[in-house]
Amino acid sequence: MNTKQLNEKFHSKRALVGTANHCICGDCVLYTEQIMFNIELIEFLHSKGLDPRKADEVWAYLEKDEYKYYTVDFFQVYADKEESHTFSNAKITIQHNIYAEKGTPRYSCTVDVVFKI
């Protein structure tokens, strides 16, 4: 299996952000609605086998001047290398996870994204 297939399998049973099985707070619901408009980011995540709506943690940490700032984490992902990319309203970083336990994916993925509210 390649890394995309491994991520799809590993994350397949995760609950969707913004649903009762994950979290239905206003920040999570807004994230789920808004993230799907960033087509470049969605395509990149899908190319890695990741669904932005199945993140481990979604954290809205700042609201300022009609914008809401989020950090979104996938704690465990399969990857071939560290990388970072910037899209219109987001930056994604895949990095080696020094806390990964043996037998689990060795990388993590963080998305920093800003939405106009």
Side-chain angles (χ1 to χ4, degrees), residues 66 103 113:
E66 298 182 19
V113 64

Side-chain angles (χ1 to χ4, degrees), residues 17-19 22-33 58 70:
V17 174
T19 66
H22 189 277
C23 179
I24 57 171
C25 75
D27 288 338
C28 285
V29 170
L30 178 69
Y31 163 79
T32 301
E33 293 169 353
V58 174
Y70 284 83

